[in-house]
Amino acid sequence: MMQTRPFGRTGWQVARIGFGGWAIGSAWGAVTEADSMAALHEALDRGVTFLDTADVYGDHASERLIARVLRERRRRGQDAPVVATKIGRRLPSQQAANYTYDNLAPFVEDCLRSLAVDVLDLVQLHCPSTETYYRPEVFAAMDRLQREGKLRHYGVSVEKVEEGLKALEYPGVVSVQIIFNMFRQRPAERFLALAQQRQVAVIARVPLASGLLTGKFGPGTQFAPDDHRQFNRHGESFDVGETFAGVPYDEGLAAVEELRPLLPAGATMAQFALRWVLMHEAVSVVIPGARNAGQARMNVAAGSLAPLSPATMAQIRAIYERRIKPYVHQRW
Ligand SMILES: NC(=O)c1ccc[n+]([C@@H]2O[C@H](COP(=O)([O-])OP(=O)(O)OC[C@H]3O[C@@H](n4cnc5c(N)ncnc54)[C@H](OP(=O)(O)O)[C@@H]3O)[C@@H](O)[C@H]2O)c1
């Protein structure tokens, strides 16, 4: 049985391993519709109850696939998961002044149509600029959309720890999505405890550092031109922290080789990386992306691994301190 957690103050109870819906939408090279559908079904069949997506993942393609899967499952009488989407990246820029009710409301309507629902479960502001968190009127706009019955709850997806801390101050924010993995440990210093204290759900994204922490890459690995691991390697299209968690590729590979001997018997590197995230009680749900059913199955299985020992946790921390921290710690 997969562990579950209350999702902040929403009253929802979610399985701690969820599903990230970016790769099934866009920016990860070729992913077939059949594989995407199979990945979603596999995850849900194995107990996942939380899906993350966004309007910009393939111009609503990821949302439409999720809608199809939910329709198929409804026909079979299966329970619906919580679906979290995101809006705001279709604004002309992520400057705070753009996050008005008039600009955001049409995005919400588009998501309602793509997901084929009357009310959205959770809408997250998709990495707005830092200044946005200092504008209460932005959160008032989200309150209004909630009052109008367009969304059940709203949250934010942040780039930086400080944005997450600031977001916790708004009573309407039920969740914060943040990059948290063996290569991004700063949220564990202060943010996670505060979020837990305020009963705000934490969604841990990019848990595999875009696949780097699966241990399957080498110095010669090639990525397709339409894969962000090729086209955003240096932050050419969006925040470089979203690609390999912002860790220089070769440094990441070297750190993975130091982590490898710590692998628990019978676990894959990907499962080890996911189990590390789940060692942090404040994490409500971790959302690994998966491009096919096999990956989805392996990722869910991480939920049944035994806890990592304090010695292993300390060794992982030491590798982070020595090899990774200088590249990421003060940047996000
Ligand atoms: N700004 C935001 O709000 C934001 C940004 C980024 C992500 N997210 C969300 O967070 C989710 C997770 O992050 P992510 O997808 O960027 O990165 P991730 O979860 O760290 O890595 C996902 C990728 O790793 C590979 N993989 C997954 N499971 C595997 C397994 N068991 N064995 C081997 N390889 C495996 C797959 O790619 P390959 O097979 O191609 O290697 C997969 O697409 C996203 O899907 C999205 O929902 C949100």
Side-chain angles (χ1 to χ4, degrees), residues 19-24 28-31 51-54 57 62 84 86 89 124-127 156-159 177-179 181 203-217 223 227-229 238 241-245 268-271 274 286-292 294-300:
F19 183 95
W22 184 15
I24 62 166
W28 289 78
V31 182
L51 310 179
D52 179 74
T53 182
Y57 296 166
S62 172
K86 309 187 206 79
R89 300 304 292 187
Q124 304 159 94
L125 292 177
H126 198 165
C127 295
V156 293
S157 181
V158 303
E159 296 288 8
Q177 182 180 136
I178 192 164
I179 298 183
N181 62 42
I203 304 167
R205 79 165 179 269
V206 195
L208 305 172
S210 315
L212 201 45
L213 282 169
T214 66
K216 67 182 177 181
F217 298 146
F223 299 97
D227 187 324
H228 72 100
R229 294 169 293 188
F238 43 81
E242 303 296 349
T243 301
F244 300 129
T268 66
M269 273 293 288
Q271 290 168 336
L274 295 173
V286 57
I287 50 166
R291 60 194 299 141
N292 55 46
Q295 290 183 352
R297 183 166 53 248
M298 283 192 283
N299 293 344
V300 174

Side-chain angles (χ1 to χ4, degrees), residues 318-330:
I319 294 167
Y320 171 77
E321 291 280 339
R322 191 163 33 78
R323 297 214 76 118
I324 302 295
K325 189 176 185 177
Y327 297 106
V328 298
H329 205 75
Q330 297 307 333

Side-chain angles (χ1 to χ4, degrees), residues 15 45 80 109 118 135 151 174 201 224 236 283:
D45 285 345
E109 293 299 334
D118 299 327
R135 302 272 182 108
L151 49 97
V174 299
E236 294 89 335
V283 172

Side-chain angles (χ1 to χ4, degrees), residues 87-205:
I87 58 168
R89 300 304 292 187
R90 295 165 82 206
L91 289 165
S93 86
Q94 275 56 58
Q95 282 177 359
N98 286 331
Y99 288 78
T100 61
Y101 173 85
D102 287 345
N103 283 346
L104 296 177
F107 296 149
V108 166
E109 293 299 334
D110 290 344
C111 295
L112 285 166
R113 250 190 313 278
S114 305
L115 282 165
V117 291
D118 299 327
V119 194
L120 297 166
D121 290 334
L122 179 71
V123 176
Q124 304 159 94
L125 292 177
H126 198 165
C127 295
S129 60
T130 304
E131 171 63 15
T132 312
Y133 297 92
Y134 292 83
R135 302 272 182 108
E137 58 272 28
V138 173
F139 297 86
M142 297 304 285
D143 288 332
R144 181 171 162 193
L145 287 160
Q146 187 180 30
R147 273 198 311 277
E148 290 171 350
K150 303 288 182 191
L151 49 97
R152 293 195 171 86
H153 295 287
Y154 69 86
V156 293
S157 181
V158 303
E159 296 288 8
K160 300 178 203 297
V161 169
E162 281 65 28
E163 294 165 351
L165 290 168
K166 182 68 181 152
L168 295 179
E169 295 180 13
Y170 291 97
V173 169
V174 299
S175 62
V176 174
Q177 182 180 136
I178 192 164
I179 298 183
F180 184 52
N181 62 42
M182 287 177 177
F183 286 174
R184 277 290 196 94
Q185 300 201 15
R186 189 160 169 256
E189 290 183 351
R190 226 154 69 77
F191 169 73
L192 291 184
L194 268 172
Q196 196 169 25
Q197 212 176 71
R198 303 242 165 122
Q199 286 183 282
V200 171
V202 174
I203 304 167
R205 79 165 179 269

